[in-house]
Amino acid sequence: MGDSSEAGGLTARDVRLARGGRAVLDGARLTVPRGAVTALVAPSGAGKSTLLRCLNRLLDPDAGTIELAGRNVRGIDPRELRRRVGLVAQTPTMLPGTVRDNVAYALPAATDGDVARALRAAGLPDAFAGRDAAGLSGGERARVALARALSRAPEVLLLDEPTAALDADTAALVGRTLRALADDGVGVCMAVHDVPFAREHADRVVGLDDREPPR
Ligand SMILES: Nc1ncnc2c1ncn2[C@@H]1O[C@H](COP(=O)(O)OP(=O)(O)OP(=O)(O)O)[C@@H](O)[C@H]1O
Ligand SMILES: [Mg+2]
């Protein structure tokens, strides 16, 4: 894999972070090239969510370098960074209001057509736009969070266990959506437990050292 910074992707090197007095990340590395789907596979508790949160500066590591398109993310305004690097959280929170309110949050120019397109790409029918977000199931919330991220057209999209709450068919649809995003030049990275899903839908399957794990 070539230098992702040249291709405009995200690169994390030697990231260290202690939490609660313990090293959670101890020299983590990750490359998220644009135009490809990367799957981050590591055991529960290994630090995948923590690393993804460092990549868009919801957390700042104690040491290490994170670059977006060759530029240190510490030099990028956090709002701009989070617009360019979307993160779909492992347990997404819904804002009060409808699904439409959630998908179009802080996007005043979003049309009903934009919202419907994002919902469909996330595996939800258009009619979901009018639903009260508070009443959604876990899998529906996961897809609304994906639609919210898609509607922002990020350069890099990070997804933390995007299919954990989904049935196999819906998960496969999400996999195809991620493929289409990568084909459009987005750098996609999903943290996943489901190794067969990762192998089917990702171009690269790596651990927290950015290397292919042993089969
Ligand atoms: N705020 C915190 N304070 C103390 N420890 C923390 C904190 N946040 C995370 N940790 C610890 O850091 C480790 C890594 O957590 P993280 O959520 O990144 O793992 P993960 O690889 O995403 O796991 P999973 O696959 O279960 O989602 C865990 O042992 C967790 O308990
Ligand atoms: Mg996690």
Side-chain angles (χ1 to χ4, degrees):
M1 189 54 60
D3 182 351
S4 77
S5 56
E6 260 168 53
L10 196 56
T11 310
R13 288 188 212 93
D14 303 318
V15 173
R16 291 172 201 280
L17 181 70
R19 305 210 73 188
R22 205 173 64 77
V24 172
L25 297 174
D26 191 15
R29 303 175 77 92
L30 182 67
T31 311
V32 184
R34 291 193 75 168
V37 178
T38 299
L40 175 61
V41 176
S44 179
K48 301 178 297 295
S49 297
T50 304
L51 180 61
L52 293 185
R53 291 166 66 80
C54 289
L55 297 180
N56 77 349
R57 293 194 65 197
L58 290 174
L59 287 171
D60 272 323
D62 302 326
T65 311
I66 299 168
E67 290 177 351
L68 175 64
R71 192 165 151 216
N72 195 311
V73 295
R74 284 185 188 255
I76 303 176
D77 173 72
R79 273 168 313 179
E80 184 197 334
L81 180 67
R82 287 172 204 146
R83 185 176 55 69
R84 294 172 62 187
V85 180
L87 173 62
V88 180
Q90 189 162 8
T91 48
T93 42
M94 293 290 109
L95 304 162
T98 63
V99 165
R100 187 194 195 289
D101 295 335
N102 272 270
V103 173
Y105 174 71
L107 294 177
T111 64
D112 288 346
D114 296 335
V115 171
R117 235 185 328 277
L119 287 174
R120 260 180 268 134
L124 290 169
D126 303 8
F128 250 72
R131 291 269 296 264
D132 180 358
L136 301 179
S137 76
E140 289 164 351
R141 270 202 303 278
R143 282 173 283 166
V144 170
L146 173 58
R148 178 160 58 195
L150 294 174
S151 67
R152 281 160 175 66
E155 293 167 37
V156 173
L157 181 60
L158 310 171
L159 307 109
D160 200 347
E161 295 290 351
T163 59
L166 304 182
D167 61 78
D169 286 349
T170 312
L173 185 151
V174 168
R176 290 194 294 276
T177 291
L178 300 184
R179 166 63 45 209
L181 282 178
D183 288 347
D184 278 347
V186 177
V188 178
C189 179
M190 54 178 178
V192 282
H193 287 124
D194 183 344
V195 177
F197 180 84
R199 294 211 191 281
E200 185 176 349
H201 293 281
D203 301 292
R204 329 168 46 234
V205 179
V206 298
L208 285 160
D209 55 1
D210 204 33
R211 290 168 190 265
E212 182 88 16
R215 272 179 177 263

